[in-house]
Amino acid sequence: KPAGYKTYWLSNQSPLGIWDNFITVLAKKADVCSFFNVSGSSSTEAGFKKSDDICLIEPLKKALNDTTPFKLIIVHLMGSHGQYHLRYPSSFQKFNYGKDKKNQTIAQYDNSILYTDFVLDSIFTILERIPLQKNNPSALLYFSDHGENVYDKLDFVGHDYADTLPYSIVEIPFVLWMSKQYQEANPDMTKLMAKNVHSPYMTDDLFHSLISLMQVKSPVLDSSRSIFTS
C-alpha cells in the first residue's frame, strides 16, 4: 500500500478458526477485504460445507475493472482442502477408480484438482483479455500453501504428519503467468524465468520475490532470496 498499490483480499476460506484468525487480521489491512465462505462458525465447520472457488471470479472481475492504475489482488482459493468431494460441483466428477474408500478418496482428490485447474484457467482467460483492453502490464503468481498426502506415502490422507514428512505435503505448484505487455516491458524477467524454471525454491522467500516482481524499490529487498532477480 505505501508503494501506491490498491490492495484486495478475496477469500473462499473461512475468516474464523485456529489457523485463520491471524490471517484475517492481515487480510483486513487490505483496502478491500471480502470473505465468501461464511456458512460455518469456524474453518472446521466451513470445511464440511460446499463453497466452490468459482464464486471468486465475479469479485475478481470487479477488482480488475477498478480504474486504479496499480493493484495487488490476493485470491484465496479453497482448493483441495480435506473433504475433497465438497471441493467441486457434480459436473466435475470425472474420475472413479473403484468402490473401496481408498480409491474413492484418490478419485475425489483428482476431481478437486481438475476443478482447480478449471478455476485457474478461468482467471488466466480473464487476465489475458483485460490487459489487452486497458494496455496495462499484469502478472499472476499461483502457489499452494501446502500439498496433500493422498496415500502417496504412508497409509493416510491430509497434510498432518508425525515423524515422517511426505514430499507430497511440501512440494507444491508454483506458476507464474505474465501478460504480453509485462513481458515486453520486462524482457530480462522473461529470460530469467526461462533460466530458473527448474530451480529449487521455498515460499519462505516469497516476500522478496513479490516485491521484485511488482518492481517495488525497498531497502528490505534481499535480491539473493528472490527468484525474479538474477
Side-chain angles (χ1 to χ4, degrees):
K1 289 172 70 174
Y5 281 78
K6 184 172 182 178
T7 53
Y8 296 79
W9 186 283
L10 310 175
S11 177
N12 190 32
Q13 295 203 23
S14 172
L16 301 173
I18 186 171
W19 307 113
D20 307 272
N21 293 342
F22 185 66
I23 299 298
T24 299
V25 171
L26 296 176
K28 287 187 175 294
K29 294 182 181 293
D31 295 308
V32 178
C33 179
S34 300
F35 289 90
F36 299 92
N37 189 348
V38 292
S39 57
S41 60
S42 69
S43 55
T44 301
E45 287 186 19
F48 285 90
K49 297 179 183 294
K50 288 277 290 179
S51 184
D52 295 334
D53 282 330
I54 204 70
C55 71
L56 297 172
I57 294 296
E58 287 305 317
L60 174 61
K61 287 181 180 178
K62 184 177 179 180
L64 289 169
N65 285 323
D66 188 318
T67 56
T68 304
F70 300 105
K71 297 186 283 284
L72 170 65
I73 306 171
I74 308 296
V75 181
H76 195 190
L77 304 176
M78 191 68 167
S80 297
H81 275 101
Q83 303 301 314
Y84 307 131
H85 67 288
L86 297 176
R87 303 284 82 87
Y88 54 89
S90 58
S91 57
F92 280 79
Q93 192 166 328
K94 304 295 184 182
F95 301 108
N96 186 359
Y97 305 134
K99 295 184 178 180
D100 62 282
K101 183 178 179 180
K102 180 177 180 177
N103 281 320
Q104 284 183 346
T105 300
I106 295 172
Q108 290 165 1
Y109 176 75
D110 288 351
N111 288 330
S112 74
I113 294 297
L114 177 66
Y115 184 64
T116 295
D117 285 349
F118 164 73
V119 172
L120 290 174
D121 181 70
S122 300
I123 294 175
F124 290 142
T125 300
I126 293 168
L127 285 173
E128 286 173 350
R129 292 173 179 171
I130 289 182
L132 290 175
Q133 295 170 356
K134 298 186 177 181
N135 198 34
N136 285 336
S138 59
L140 180 148
L141 185 61
Y142 168 74
F143 59 94
S144 176
D145 57 341
H146 58 77
E148 291 283 297
N149 182 66
V150 189
Y151 301 108
D152 300 284
K153 189 173 184 180
L154 309 177
D155 193 30
F156 82 95
V157 176
H159 51 269
D160 296 329
Y161 69 94
D163 298 327
T164 301
L165 180 61
Y167 282 116
S168 55
I169 293 178
V170 296
E171 292 184 333
I172 61 171
F174 190 85
V175 179
L176 173 68
W177 174 92
M178 297 180 289
S179 69
K180 181 180 178 181
Q181 291 89 337
Y182 189 100
Q183 293 181 55
E184 290 175 347
N186 301 279
D188 291 340
M189 178 80 76
T190 305
K191 293 177 182 178
L192 186 62
M193 287 302 91
K195 175 184 176 183
N196 288 343
V197 67
H198 296 299
S199 299
Y201 180 75
M202 285 190 66
T203 50
D204 290 9
D205 293 332
L206 183 67
F207 170 80
H208 301 280
S209 296
L210 268 182
I211 58 178
S212 57
L213 178 66
M214 296 167 65
Q215 300 181 335
V216 173
K217 297 185 185 303
S218 171
V220 299
L221 169 63
D222 183 348
S223 296
S224 67
R225 298 179 64 184
S226 169
I227 199 173
F228 302 128
T229 54
S230 55

